[in-house]
Amino acid sequence: MKPNISREDFEALVRRAGLTLSPAQIDGLHPAWAHVEQMLARIRTHGRDRAAEPAHTFNPAEFFAGEI
Amino acid sequence: MNAETHSSLGYLTIAEAAELIQSRKLSPVDLATHAFSRIKTLDSKLNSHLLVLEEQGMQAARAAESEIAGGHYRGKLHGIPIGLKDIYNTAGIRTTAHSAVLADHVPMADATTVVKLREAGAIFTGKLATWEFAIGGTSFDLPWPSARNPWNTDHDPAGSSSGSGAAVAAGLVLGAMGSDTGGSIRGPAAWCGIAGLKPTYGLVSKAGVLPLSYALDHAGPMCWTAEDCAIMMTALAGPDASDPCSAMVEAPDFSDMSSPITGLRVGVVRHFFEKDLPCEPDVAASFEAALDVLRGLGCVVSDVTIAPFSAYGAAAGQISRAEGFSIHEHWLQTVPEKYGAIGRQRLSAGAFVRGVDYVNAQRERARLIAELAVTMQSVDVLVFPGARSVAPKIASDRSLGGAFYNRAFNLTGSPALSVCSGFSPAGLPYALQIVGRPFEDPLVLRVGSLYETATPWRGRRPIL
């Protein structure tokens, strides 16, 4: 499977992330990104209600047990 | 002690050994001596232990023997040899995550679970092999060799709790701790033919366990039987103020593993293994036979439809990648050469997950949890094959990412158990996975235990 992002653009992402990868290491990572792109497409296209909260909402009772 | 006795000692379950120890028919010192002897004799074939703690283990066994002789029996883990995946912090003892990055890492304090097991009287045999940082895969460029499958050492034990699966199946330990972010307890349990429980999220403390993904990590037991997992859960479960993810609920009662399950509503997630990620035909046949066993136990079996496996995988993939990179960013930037190739590649991918994708994955997670909760009103447990195939041969260039149906229930936090459900013609284990509602871990284990009792699979051990 070939990723949508070009090798050159992917290298830019690697630099932005502060990673120093050899050409061989990028050779391994760039094609693997195609699998992530598939997952991202699914996450980005799903119609969610604007009010739908993430799964890790803050519960003050667990952080301040007995103090509130 | 003759060789036959030695051999039978290695294959005791925790429940059997506990009964013998409590009745003073088995000495914890003899049991520990036997465990360390097996490790010395057999582990060169399996590579399950990165570090053997014989001196400390024998000291603890002698203390256990003395306590029990003095009338202070702590419970069913007293004097039982247990292994710890090498991501569980052990005070003063090297904890490496099977990585050169942490080759010299010696924690100051024990993980909460290690404290609980020690207080229950467990004897620690050592630190067990794992995929690098619980994500890397079966690798050949790490400071220590990767674990191998006891049923055929040319085959993959799965991971990431690879050493835990191998050591339990081979009878080197009677139980082990694993961790499960995307199936790392249930995968090796399936391919090594043992029982492994990913508990309800937050039921077992993660404090002191090296993290991979805060939202998806679960700590849990791996044993020969579901009943033994229940014994370990009795010691492990419960609130922990030092773990921000602790559910802060009292531990449920794990003592009943034998009450009938007549009328239990079993939902078969058939689309997982027929459509979403089709399994091998022999796996499907084994699974249908397992359903017949459940029907024979009085269960009402019907198909159910939940979200496609890829929906869970997409959300879990973004969450775990982003969180994993947040943990490893500094090391990946400063000492990338210390990682194995597979670990570095899998962890580096998290660098490119956008913040908005992470948030949306968490929102998707909430939606999928709510959707599953509705389905679980009409059934009591879900079942499906524990793996798409039996364990393949070890290969350094293969990802095992699509080999299992595990990741869905890391996302939902549901309790999920893998038990052995037979053997292929080549002698490699099949597995059945059982998933329950949150905090119904005892029911999941009881279903697994009754299934095991109704089948002959627990009578077979690997020949080493």
Side-chain angles (χ1 to χ4, degrees), chain B residues 132 136 139 141-142 339-346:
Chain B
E132 185 179 31
S139 301
D141 55 357
L142 303 177
Y339 288 84
I342 301 175
R344 182 174 53 239
Q345 180 171 314
R346 291 185 179 174

Side-chain angles (χ1 to χ4, degrees), chain B residues 28-29 32-33 35-36 39-40 49-65 79-82 84 90-95 106-107 110 114 118 121-127:
Chain B
V29 171
T33 301
F36 288 114
I39 292 167
K40 273 183 206 157
H49 280 67
L50 301 185
L51 181 67
V52 180
L53 300 170
E54 183 168 6
E55 187 181 333
Q56 297 96 319
M58 290 309 303
Q59 189 177 354
R62 286 189 290 273
E65 184 152 298
I80 301 295
I82 299 287
L84 299 169
T90 39
I93 297 169
R94 192 184 75 190
T95 301
V106 179
D110 287 328
V114 172
R118 186 179 283 115
I123 310 299
F124 297 128
T125 60
K127 307 301 289 289

Side-chain angles (χ1 to χ4, degrees), chain A residues 10 13-14 17-19 25 28-29 32-33 36 39-40 42-44 46 48-50 52-56 62, chain B residues 246 308 310-311 313-315 318 321 332-333 344-345 348-349 351-352 354 357 360 362-367 407:
Chain A
F10 190 74
L13 286 181
V14 170
L19 299 177
Q25 288 165 352
L29 190 54
W33 185 249
V36 182
M39 296 181 185
L40 286 170
R42 185 166 195 117
I43 294 292
R44 290 171 182 171
H46 194 277
R48 278 174 292 271
D49 189 292
R50 284 187 181 80
E53 288 275 1
H56 59 343
E62 290 195 1
Chain B
S246 175
S310 59
Q318 302 323 305
R321 279 187 178 83
L332 285 167
Q333 289 174 338
R344 182 174 53 239
Q345 180 171 314
S348 295
F352 318 124
R354 300 182 311 167
D357 293 322
N360 280 336
Q362 286 284 13
R363 295 170 72 202
E364 181 71 351
R365 178 180 174 219
R367 188 186 73 78
R407 195 178 237 186

Side-chain angles (χ1 to χ4, degrees), chain B residues 41-363:
Chain B
T41 307
L42 298 172
D43 208 34
S44 58
K45 299 177 186 174
L46 300 174
N47 308 324
S48 71
H49 280 67
L50 301 185
L51 181 67
V52 180
L53 300 170
E54 183 168 6
E55 187 181 333
Q56 297 96 319
M58 290 309 303
Q59 189 177 354
R62 286 189 290 273
E65 184 152 298
S66 173
E67 278 189 22
I68 293 166
H72 180 47
Y73 179 65
R74 298 190 189 202
K76 292 182 178 178
L77 289 181
H78 206 171
I80 301 295
I82 299 287
L84 299 169
K85 183 177 183 177
D86 203 23
I87 63 169
Y88 282 76
N89 279 345
T90 39
I93 297 169
R94 192 184 75 190
T95 301
T96 68
H98 210 132
S99 177
V101 176
L102 293 182
D104 302 317
H105 173 234
V106 179
M108 299 286 285
D110 287 328
T112 297
T113 41
V114 172
V115 172
K116 287 187 167 193
L117 290 171
R118 186 179 283 115
E119 286 174 350
I123 310 299
F124 297 128
T125 60
K127 307 301 289 289
L128 302 178
T130 167
W131 287 356
E132 185 179 31
F133 285 109
I135 192 173
T138 300
S139 301
F140 300 91
D141 55 357
L142 303 177
W144 303 273
S146 287
R148 291 179 171 269
N149 193 316
W151 297 94
N152 184 330
T153 54
D154 289 334
H155 286 244
D156 206 307
S160 64
S161 308
S162 49
S164 305
V168 170
L172 307 188
V173 296
L174 276 63
M177 289 305 292
S179 69
D180 194 318
T181 305
S184 287
I185 286 174
R186 292 161 289 156
W191 279 359
C192 292
I194 65 170
L197 176 73
K198 182 198 79 62
T200 299
Y201 184 76
L203 185 59
V204 172
S205 172
K206 299 185 297 180
V209 182
L210 291 170
L212 174 60
S213 170
Y214 306 109
L216 305 176
D217 289 346
H218 299 67
M222 300 171 71
C223 304
W224 186 245
T225 65
E227 180 188 21
D228 284 359
C229 287
I231 290 171
M232 285 188 70
M233 283 298 289
T234 300
L236 293 167
D240 180 14
S242 63
D243 177 3
C245 301
S246 175
M248 299 306 283
V249 298
E250 290 305 315
D253 182 356
F254 289 94
S255 61
D256 176 15
M257 289 294 118
S258 59
S259 291
I261 49 174
T262 309
L264 189 85
R265 299 168 302 172
V266 173
V268 180
V269 191
R270 194 167 293 281
H271 60 86
F272 267 19
F273 59 93
E274 288 191 351
K275 183 180 170 194
D276 301 348
L277 287 172
C279 69
E280 296 292 334
D282 62 324
V283 169
S286 156
F287 178 73
E288 295 302 330
L291 292 182
D292 285 340
V293 173
L294 293 175
R295 289 188 190 97
L297 290 167
C299 298
V300 179
V301 179
S302 61
D303 290 357
V304 294
T305 301
I306 60 176
F309 185 78
S310 59
Y312 297 101
Q318 302 323 305
I319 293 168
S320 63
R321 279 187 178 83
E323 293 187 349
F325 190 75
S326 81
I327 294 159
H328 286 270
E329 180 182 24
H330 175 68
W331 291 328
L332 285 167
Q333 289 174 338
T334 56
V335 287
E337 73 283 358
K338 289 195 172 182
Y339 288 84
I342 301 175
R344 182 174 53 239
Q345 180 171 314
R346 291 185 179 174
L347 288 163
S348 295
F352 318 124
V353 177
R354 300 182 311 167
V356 65
D357 293 322
Y358 175 79
V359 172
N360 280 336
Q362 286 284 13
R363 295 170 72 202

